[in-house]
Amino acid sequence: VHSSLDGSRRAALQQEGHDHCAAEDGREEDDEQRFSLSVVTMSGDAHTIEGLTPLTHLGVLRERVAACTGWPRSQVTICRWEQVFKATSDKLPLQSVDISESSVLTCIHSKGHVLGGRRLAITSRRCSADEDPLAVVREEFGEQALVASLEDFQDAGREDWREFVGRIGGCGGA
C-alpha cells in the first residue's frame, strides 16, 4: 500500500483527531495520479482517505469512508458544500463530480437503509385505517418525506432485496 504520510505525520494527525485510512484495494495504478483527501464528520472527526484517483468511483470512496468511520456503507452520506451525493451517484468517477485532492468533504451518518438507490426509513408508528400514511411519515421524518411503494423499487435486484431485508429484519424493524 502506497502511503504519502510518514509515521510521525500520521501519529500527529491521529493526535489531532484525524484518522488515516490508506487504500486497501491492492490495485497498481500510476502513483502520480493517486491522491488523498480529507473527510470530516458532523461530530468533527477528520479522516484522510488515500489511494484515490480521478477515475475512482464515488462508491469506492463511500466504502473507504465506511471503513474509517465504522459506519455501515449504506449509512454514509457524502457531501461537498451544498451538494449531497446519493447512492445513485456511486458509479460516477470522482473527476466527474469535481472531487480532487483539494476537496474537503463532509460525511453524515444517515438513518435508514438504501434500496434501489433510495434511502428508506421505517416508521415506528402503526397507522389505523383512517389515518393518512403520508401525514404520519412526515410527522416522524419531516416535510420532505414520502411514502414508498413497491413500484418505486422495480429496478432493485434480488441481491439488493436480500441485503435490504437482512438489514431491517424479517419483521420490518429498523
Side-chain angles (χ1 to χ4, degrees), residues 57-135:
H57 290 173
L58 191 60
V60 171
L61 175 59
R62 191 180 312 275
E63 287 173 14
R64 293 197 188 154
V65 169
C68 286
T69 60
W71 302 341
R73 182 185 184 280
S74 63
Q75 294 181 6
V76 173
T77 298
I78 298 173
C79 306
R80 190 193 56 196
W81 302 109
E82 306 86 31
Q83 188 173 14
V84 177
F85 298 106
K86 298 181 180 180
T88 53
S89 302
D90 277 359
K91 296 202 183 299
L92 296 175
L94 298 178
Q95 69 183 1
S96 73
V97 292
D98 295 323
I99 294 176
S100 64
E101 185 167 21
S102 61
S103 300
V104 177
L105 305 175
T106 302
C107 288
I108 300 168
H109 191 178
S110 302
K111 292 182 180 179
H113 306 280
V114 174
L115 175 63
R118 296 173 183 231
R119 179 163 304 281
L120 301 172
I122 300 170
T123 183
S124 59
R125 289 217 19 228
R126 290 185 177 236
C127 297
S128 63
D130 61 341
E131 281 187 286
D132 177 15
L134 182 59

Side-chain angles (χ1 to χ4, degrees), residues 2-171:
H2 171 72
S3 176
S4 62
L5 293 178
D6 65 20
S8 61
R9 176 70 177 133
R10 183 175 303 140
L13 283 173
Q14 287 173 336
Q15 285 178 344
E16 295 171 8
H18 288 70
D19 189 13
H20 178 78
C21 296
E24 296 179 5
D25 58 11
R27 288 183 288 167
E28 295 294 326
E29 292 187 37
D30 185 6
D31 280 346
E32 289 184 25
Q33 285 192 4
R34 288 189 179 271
F35 63 89
S36 58
L37 57 79
S38 296
V39 174
V40 181
T41 65
M42 295 301 288
S43 63
D45 294 333
H47 304 274
T48 300
I49 310 294
E50 285 196 339
L52 302 170
T53 70
L55 299 178
T56 300
H57 290 173
L58 191 60
V60 171
L61 175 59
R62 191 180 312 275
E63 287 173 14
R64 293 197 188 154
V65 169
C68 286
T69 60
W71 302 341
R73 182 185 184 280
S74 63
Q75 294 181 6
V76 173
T77 298
I78 298 173
C79 306
R80 190 193 56 196
W81 302 109
E82 306 86 31
Q83 188 173 14
V84 177
F85 298 106
K86 298 181 180 180
T88 53
S89 302
D90 277 359
K91 296 202 183 299
L92 296 175
L94 298 178
Q95 69 183 1
S96 73
V97 292
D98 295 323
I99 294 176
S100 64
E101 185 167 21
S102 61
S103 300
V104 177
L105 305 175
T106 302
C107 288
I108 300 168
H109 191 178
S110 302
K111 292 182 180 179
H113 306 280
V114 174
L115 175 63
R118 296 173 183 231
R119 179 163 304 281
L120 301 172
I122 300 170
T123 183
S124 59
R125 289 217 19 228
R126 290 185 177 236
C127 297
S128 63
D130 61 341
E131 281 187 286
D132 177 15
L134 182 59
V136 170
V137 167
R138 287 188 172 168
E139 179 182 317
E140 187 169 348
F141 298 107
E143 289 300 314
Q144 299 289 329
L146 300 172
V147 175
S149 165
L150 286 176
E151 293 172 358
D152 296 331
F153 305 101
Q154 290 178 352
D155 294 339
R158 178 174 285 196
E159 189 57 35
D160 294 332
W161 277 102
R162 188 173 293 130
E163 185 180 322
F164 175 72
V165 170
R167 282 192 313 264
I168 67 168
C171 298

